[in-house]
Amino acid sequence: MAITTHRRRALPLVAAALLAAAAPALAQNADNPLLQEWDTPFGTPPFDRVETSHFEPAFEVAMARHLAELDAIATNADAPTFENTIAALERCGSDLDRVSRTFSALTSSATNDELRAIQARMSPKLAAHSAKISLNGALFARMDALYEAGESLGLNAEQARVLERKHTGFVRSGAKLEGADRDRLAAISEELAGLSTSFSQNVQKSTEAFALVLESEGDRAGLPQNVLSAAAQAAVDRGMDGKYVITLARSSFEPFMAFSPRRDLRERLYEGWTNRGAGGDFDNEENIRRILTLRLERAQLLGYDDFS
């Protein structure tokens, strides 16, 4: 979002410096559709113009912009109010939100090896970015002052709830920790982000690898024509022209489970579904063990007995 000269003068020096540091990257990516206004129906992403190579530079620029907006809130010389702190916090980060949502839409529905590689590289960076926000002492001090003021602020029910959830989120992200504990929590969050990405990618890869081939007319009994047409296309996509394939995509899995009278085939499909990420090249056992260990450590750093 363009910042007017008047607003730029009002920005604290640190925020201005962050924006200045981001300026070369922004200029270099002036044609990046993810960093432009979207003149599309309902503001939907312009997927026809977005290329995989656009994402990483867009993330970098959007994170720099977000930090500048946050610093402007944290270093505001005026006393904290709901409007200049909590509402301002709710409004900032729109660029990063748009890039993240667009990326998430693709990685969850039309992913590929290149997108997965970007996801693996960006997850720790995005976790570190989140840590910079939640561990921003000046920003939390303003929020904490409002939280402690409580009912004296005269907030309506919705505002009070937003303040309470924001404050709780910051506290559970380590805002009240100090020293080594604070640093350790940030490191845990970054590692968990990488593990979560690895976990979800293993599930996705094992989902894509599974194929239930319907060899005979009996295997295809009871299936509506639209399900058979989709199964034929799934077979073509896998280089199995002339066959019928049921996959673990919900649009394939659920109709087969609903319509097929073949209990044995439904059992095979169900086992494939429940065993995604279990065993083989996409086994998540070590990821799960490490995630559980780190979640417990994180909970105990924050003063809880366990993660739940």
Side-chain angles (χ1 to χ4, degrees):
M1 181 185 300
I3 296 179
T4 64
T5 302
H6 174 75
R7 184 181 170 192
R8 189 181 294 278
R9 287 183 186 137
L11 284 174
L13 292 178
V14 176
L18 286 168
L19 285 172
L26 181 57
Q28 186 178 358
N29 291 279
D31 296 330
N32 190 324
L34 293 169
L35 298 172
Q36 299 171 349
E37 293 296 326
W38 295 345
D39 185 18
T40 55
F42 307 104
T44 53
F47 287 110
D48 59 321
R49 296 193 291 119
V50 174
E51 298 178 3
T52 303
S53 60
H54 288 142
F55 280 106
E56 284 188 271
F59 270 121
E60 297 293 347
V61 170
M63 285 191 289
R65 284 177 171 178
H66 192 201
L67 289 178
E69 292 170 337
L70 291 164
D71 187 73
I73 299 170
T75 58
N76 190 337
D78 297 332
T81 64
F82 182 87
E83 180 60 31
N84 70 17
T85 301
I86 305 303
L89 188 60
E90 285 284 280
R91 288 192 294 266
C92 72
S94 58
D95 292 321
L96 183 57
D97 184 64
R98 291 196 313 163
V99 176
S100 297
R101 287 178 183 272
T102 305
F103 186 69
S104 178
L106 288 176
T107 55
S108 61
S109 61
T111 193
N112 54 49
D113 289 342
E114 193 173 358
L115 284 172
R116 290 190 186 103
I118 294 173
Q119 190 178 30
R121 290 193 296 269
M122 289 308 307
S123 290
K125 291 184 178 181
L126 289 168
H129 176 77
S130 295
K132 289 179 182 177
I133 300 170
S134 57
L135 301 181
N136 185 318
L139 182 61
F140 180 70
R142 294 178 68 86
M143 184 184 301
D144 198 42
L146 293 171
Y147 183 78
E148 292 298 326
E151 294 182 0
S152 66
L153 296 174
L155 302 179
N156 60 37
E158 182 181 1
Q159 292 172 324
R161 178 62 172 169
V162 172
L163 172 57
E164 186 268 331
R165 295 313 302 160
K166 284 288 184 185
H167 186 269
T168 298
F170 268 65
V171 170
R172 289 181 177 175
S173 296
K176 288 190 173 182
L177 296 180
E178 297 179 355
D181 286 346
R182 189 185 184 94
D183 294 339
R184 178 57 187 153
L185 191 72
I188 288 173
S189 297
E190 189 169 335
E191 186 177 353
L192 280 172
L195 288 167
S196 296
T197 296
S198 177
F199 180 95
S200 63
Q201 288 188 353
N202 278 342
V203 171
Q204 182 67 26
K205 289 175 183 177
S206 61
T207 298
E208 294 171 356
F210 180 91
L212 176 63
V213 182
L214 307 180
E215 300 284 2
S216 66
E217 287 291 335
D219 293 346
R220 301 188 288 274
L223 299 181
Q225 185 56 49
N226 65 313
V227 176
L228 289 172
S229 297
Q233 183 59 52
V236 171
D237 293 341
R238 286 162 174 73
M240 303 167 66
D241 299 39
K243 293 186 178 297
Y244 296 85
V245 169
I246 300 298
T247 73
L248 294 180
R250 284 189 177 275
S251 58
S252 180
F253 171 86
E254 292 183 355
F256 187 86
M257 295 296 285
F259 292 111
S260 176
R262 289 286 300 276
R263 182 184 180 91
D264 58 328
L265 295 181
R266 295 200 313 272
E267 181 179 9
R268 283 171 56 189
L269 190 62
Y270 181 75
E271 287 179 348
W273 176 269
T274 56
N275 287 319
R276 291 170 299 158
D281 295 334
F282 311 123
D283 186 35
N284 266 325
E285 182 175 352
E286 288 305 314
N287 283 333
I288 292 171
R289 290 182 186 278
R290 185 60 178 161
I291 288 171
L292 291 175
T293 298
L294 290 174
R295 282 181 171 181
L296 178 59
E297 183 182 357
R298 182 174 184 267
Q300 292 175 343
L301 279 172
L302 293 170
Y304 297 96
D305 292 332
D306 52 57
F307 183 77
S308 62

